[in-house]
Amino acid sequence: MENLDIARILEETADLLEIQGANPFRIRAYRNAVRTVEGLTRSLQDMVAGGEDLTALQGVGKEMDAHIRELLQTGQLSTLNAVTEEVPRTLAELTRLDGVGPKKAKKLYDELGVESVEGLEAEIEKGRVQELKGFGARSAEKMLRSIEDHRKQVGRFLRAEAEPYVESLLKWMEEAPGVERLEVAGSWRRRKETIGDLDLLAACPGDGTPAVEHFTAFEGAVRVEASGSTKGNIVLRSGLSVDLRVIPPESFGAALHYFTGSKEHNVHIRTLGVKRGLRINEWGVFAVPEGVDPDTLKKDEGRRVGGATEEEVFATVDLPWIPPELREDRGEIAAAREGALPRLVEVDDLRGDLHMHSTWTDGQASILDMARACAERGYAYMAITDHSQAVTMVGGLTPERVRAQWKEIAAAQDEVGEDVRILRGQEVDILKDGTLDQPDDILAELDVVVASVHSFMDLDREAMTERVIRAVSHGGVDILGHPTGRLLGRREPYALDVEAVLEACREHDVAVEINAHPRRLDLNDRYVFRARELGVKVVIDTDAHRVLGLDVMRFGVDQARRGWLEATDVLNTRPLDELLSWLRGRR
Ligand code: DGT
Ligand code: CA
Ligand code: CA
Ligand code: ZN
């Protein structure tokens, strides 16, 4: 059982306990454990096998330790089984919908017998939810929209959710007999934000059966859907499906190209081949003999002119190798032909992180701990950007408390010395009318102002666009935080004319954020591309709420790469003095 499977089961238990109305402290214990487990870099299975004491982990007490051990030993959690006798398991899924908390879920269940997303939809259609006290037509309509959003995501996994499976599968397949080379192709290799399934390719000179058999014996497989001499498919406990294809080495490059996709990119490359009398497929690149109808040939017939490497495949149509992130048929083939492919930004290019929270609001680590962690990550600078007072739920900072925080920042700076520069930042709320949630004198004294929307997300497009444009035109804003407000699989972006907002950002030299949180990745790849086209600066930030939250930076970089960004397009690749002179020039 993977860490992520354990986290999911604990989370589900917490959701159900909350619906049941259990003690909030008990629920919190589960949620804390979930957060810890999700952030662990080592496998719990290994830790337990090595006799480690799990209660040494932050957020894991005796009860959670016992739960994790039970899950690892039996694959079951008796507490969860007990709760599900009272509350149907499907209700947990219901609370994932934006606008349906545990209390509402309980009420829907008690009064209307709603047990699932489908059930909720049916009751809304009958008009019965609208009549419930505390619901109403507006909230029912909102629920219908969340159901739609939810459906789009069902069956897809966040890249970050798929990552641990990729790692353990690769490790497992290293031991597979006869395998010379292994790659994960598909959307994973193109670094998409969500993954439908994983596409593993193995180069094998002989019979592929032993490799496929090794694959289907993977510990995490709960079902084997296919098993043969060239192909296998397994389904993991989480529902993630994994294909394996065994490829002869002389075809490996062609197969890698084909199964990396995207389909649109492949179609475009194939038509370039046709113009040159070539057939390009997953077996290789083949010259079609004169006078032969290519449709009468088998896939590996004709004279092979390439296919062992991807470079060979591209070379047959006179192109250089194209990075997988760009293979969406959005102009990469023309750029490659003209020698104009971007030199994509890399994680090591980043010199700082300009959006993170501390215990002053909803973060879990102190300013000093965050600063030390940034220093460890080799950053030259970082900004503490706690919430402003409009976010009352987390104790957003009043002007007085902001000033008090600066003292602690100074003290933390003394403590970490020259290693990393701690900038005074703030994530200032963009209020409903587009004004900012701090007075101008505070804004002027801050080093970095990230402005974000956290409320009234259901304004119409015109009002929302006007609101955001007003904020970025204020003069006191440096960065527009998570600009569209989406949460992958949970919440669609709010109605916003992003093009107009980007134009305003360019005009006022405000940078836009790629929020690297795996569920946000906001801006998305297409808007990032557009920002670059317009010459708007981009910042890649983690929005970390704890030390390990700093490590999601790589997902933001993936998104930046899918948006064609080079290091020079990204503000936080600049050295400290350059960053400071840009920031100060604006005050
Ligand atoms: P996913 O799994 O939904 O996140 O997205 P992909 O891109 O991994 O798609 P998948 O797993 O269905 O197929 C992997 C790649 O195989 C895909 O990107 C391109 C290639 N491929 C699959 N089916 C076709 C097809 O019918 N035509 C072409 N040209 N390529 C295909
Ligand atoms: Ca796939
Ligand atoms: Ca697939
Ligand atoms: Zn925020």
Side-chain angles (χ1 to χ4, degrees):
M1 192 173 268
E2 300 278 342
N3 289 359
L4 213 70
D5 299 317
I6 294 172
R8 283 202 170 164
I9 293 173
L10 294 177
E11 190 176 22
E12 195 184 3
T13 310
D15 290 342
L16 293 173
L17 283 170
E18 201 167 350
I19 294 168
Q20 201 184 32
N23 179 334
F25 289 102
R26 181 157 175 233
I27 297 161
R28 175 150 323 159
Y30 280 88
R31 301 222 187 271
N32 288 341
V34 169
R35 260 201 294 243
T36 299
V37 172
E38 280 176 344
L40 282 181
T41 46
R42 288 181 306 147
S43 122
L44 283 163
Q45 182 137 8
D46 294 348
M47 292 172 74
V48 167
E52 278 185 58
D53 177 13
L54 302 180
T55 60
L57 296 169
Q58 198 198 340
V60 178
K62 279 219 175 74
E63 193 188 353
M64 292 304 136
D65 173 283
H67 284 349
I68 294 169
R69 285 171 199 277
E70 186 190 350
L71 278 167
L72 286 170
Q73 266 167 21
T74 68
Q76 301 265 329
L77 186 61
S78 39
T79 312
L80 175 61
N81 296 342
V83 186
T84 51
E85 306 226 320
E86 283 184 43
V87 183
R89 208 163 169 165
T90 45
L91 279 185
E93 192 188 358
L94 210 59
T95 61
R96 297 280 143 69
L97 297 175
D98 198 30
V100 186
K103 289 212 180 72
K104 285 197 170 168
K106 178 89 170 25
K107 189 151 184 179
L108 288 163
Y109 175 60
D110 286 346
E111 309 219 349
L112 301 176
V114 168
E115 291 192 9
S116 63
V117 173
E118 288 68 36
L120 174 62
E121 190 178 31
E123 293 302 310
I124 294 174
E125 273 160 13
K126 283 187 231 155
R128 289 176 58 185
V129 173
Q130 291 83 327
E131 287 165 8
L132 274 187
K133 209 170 151 218
F135 283 77
R138 234 173 103 86
S139 93
E141 200 181 296
K142 196 171 164 195
M143 284 177 195
L144 278 182
R145 257 183 286 132
S146 338
I147 292 173
E148 246 174 70
D149 301 347
H150 181 75
R151 292 234 166 96
K152 274 187 227 154
Q153 178 72 19
V154 168
R156 294 195 72 80
F157 288 72
L158 297 184
R159 181 173 182 78
E161 290 173 332
E163 188 179 54
Y165 299 111
V166 169
E167 283 166 8
S168 46
L169 279 161
L170 287 176
K171 205 166 139 213
W172 173 248
M173 288 303 290
E174 267 172 26
E175 309 293 320
V179 173
E180 288 180 351
R181 202 180 149 193
L182 203 61
E183 290 280 350
V184 184
S187 51
W188 172 265
R189 187 160 178 251
R190 301 199 312 281
R191 299 177 190 248
K192 273 194 76 167
E193 60 202 20
T194 63
I195 306 293
D197 70 354
L198 291 174
D199 304 279
L200 250 62
L201 303 182
C204 248
D207 176 22
T209 312
V212 174
E213 279 172 359
H214 182 84
F215 170 70
T216 55
F218 179 64
E219 183 270 334
V222 287
R223 275 206 319 278
V224 177
E225 297 277 351
S227 178
S229 61
T230 59
K231 255 165 62 172
N233 174 274
I234 57 176
V235 177
L236 307 183
R237 203 171 276 114
S238 56
L240 183 63
S241 161
V242 188
D243 286 328
L244 171 72
R245 291 180 182 87
V246 180
I247 319 283
E250 69 272 17
S251 296
F252 195 75
L256 183 57
H257 179 260
Y258 180 90
F259 290 110
T260 295
S262 66
K263 211 162 153 177
E264 293 73 17
H265 167 92
N266 288 354
V267 168
H268 195 152
I269 293 285
R270 223 172 319 143
T271 56
L272 295 180
V274 170
K275 285 186 199 146
R276 291 166 173 76
L278 299 173
R279 262 192 343 142
I280 303 177
N281 59 35
E282 64 271 44
W283 293 94
V285 183
F286 303 92
V288 181
E290 201 87 36
V292 173
D293 174 2
D295 294 336
T296 63
L297 294 174
K298 283 208 202 116
K299 282 206 163 173
D300 56 349
E301 277 180 345
R303 184 171 54 83
R304 175 185 288 278
V305 297
T309 66
E310 274 194 327
E311 283 81 356
E312 269 179 28
V313 175
F314 284 113
T316 61
V317 289
D318 307 308
L319 294 175
W321 182 82
I322 299 175
E325 296 86 329
L326 304 182
R327 300 184 196 168
E328 299 290 347
D329 199 25
R330 295 181 191 159
E332 73 280 8
I333 291 170
R337 193 182 300 121
E338 290 153 19
L341 286 172
R343 287 186 43 175
L344 300 177
V345 61
E346 292 172 16
V347 171
D348 287 344
D349 292 327
L350 295 177
R351 301 190 197 224
D353 189 343
L354 297 175
H355 185 169
M356 71 189 72
H357 298 261
S358 75
T359 44
W360 281 72
T361 57
D362 55 349
Q364 304 201 334
S366 67
I367 294 174
L368 182 57
D369 286 344
M370 292 306 270
R372 286 193 171 130
C374 285
E376 266 170 35
R377 282 156 181 77
Y379 289 152
Y381 51 84
M382 58 179 288
I384 294 290
T385 55
D386 275 306
H387 287 289
S388 61
Q389 54 190 322
V391 191
T392 47
M393 273 191 323
V394 302
L397 304 184
T398 60
E400 293 69 38
R401 288 193 71 224
V402 179
R403 289 184 189 283
Q405 189 184 50
W406 293 343
K407 294 206 186 105
E408 190 172 316
I409 288 177
Q413 186 71 74
D414 284 344
E415 200 67 34
V416 290
E418 300 286 289
D419 282 359
V420 64
R421 173 66 183 273
I422 314 172
L423 299 172
R424 293 171 172 181
Q426 169 109 179
E427 184 178 15
V428 177
D429 255 55
I430 300 176
L431 302 175
K432 188 178 178 190
D433 63 356
T435 56
L436 298 174
D437 191 29
Q438 283 296 354
D440 286 356
D441 59 325
I442 291 280
L443 294 176
E445 280 189 72
L446 286 164
D447 296 319
V448 182
V449 174
V450 181
S452 316
V453 167
H454 293 115
S455 59
F456 301 102
M457 296 193 209
D458 51 0
L459 296 187
D460 65 40
R461 181 176 158 102
E462 201 183 336
M464 188 60 107
T465 305
E466 213 172 284
R467 171 186 185 184
V468 175
I469 289 179
R470 184 167 178 202
V472 300
S473 314
H474 174 282
V477 174
D478 305 306
I479 298 165
L480 177 61
H482 43 76
T484 72
R486 73 161 176 184
L487 295 177
L488 285 164
R490 304 262 162 94
R491 187 169 78 206
E492 288 288 284
Y494 30 72
L496 183 71
D497 182 348
V498 177
E499 178 76 17
V501 169
L502 289 174
E503 297 270 5
C505 286
R506 180 180 54 181
E507 188 186 334
H508 298 279
D509 197 23
V510 168
V512 291
E513 183 177 73
I514 296 178
N515 190 298
H517 191 285
R519 200 167 280 290
R520 287 196 182 270
L521 293 171
D522 180 10
L523 290 177
N524 72 17
D525 51 358
R526 284 175 183 272
Y527 290 138
V528 169
F529 183 90
R530 186 65 185 138
R532 176 176 191 245
E533 245 178 357
L534 289 169
V536 178
K537 294 185 179 68
V538 177
V539 183
I540 311 174
D541 283 336
T542 63
D543 200 354
H545 283 68
R546 56 193 173 120
V547 166
L548 287 172
L550 295 166
D551 294 329
V552 302
M553 194 60 108
R554 63 186 184 282
F555 301 116
V557 173
D558 290 339
Q559 189 85 333
R561 293 169 64 91
R562 286 183 54 84
W564 293 52
L565 297 194
E566 303 194 348
T568 49
D569 300 314
V570 179
L571 190 64
N572 50 329
T573 63
R574 298 188 186 184
L576 176 64
D577 53 344
E578 269 182 45
L579 175 77
L580 286 178
S581 76
W582 180 73
L583 289 168
R584 296 213 169 113
R586 310 164 48 74
R587 286 291 179 274

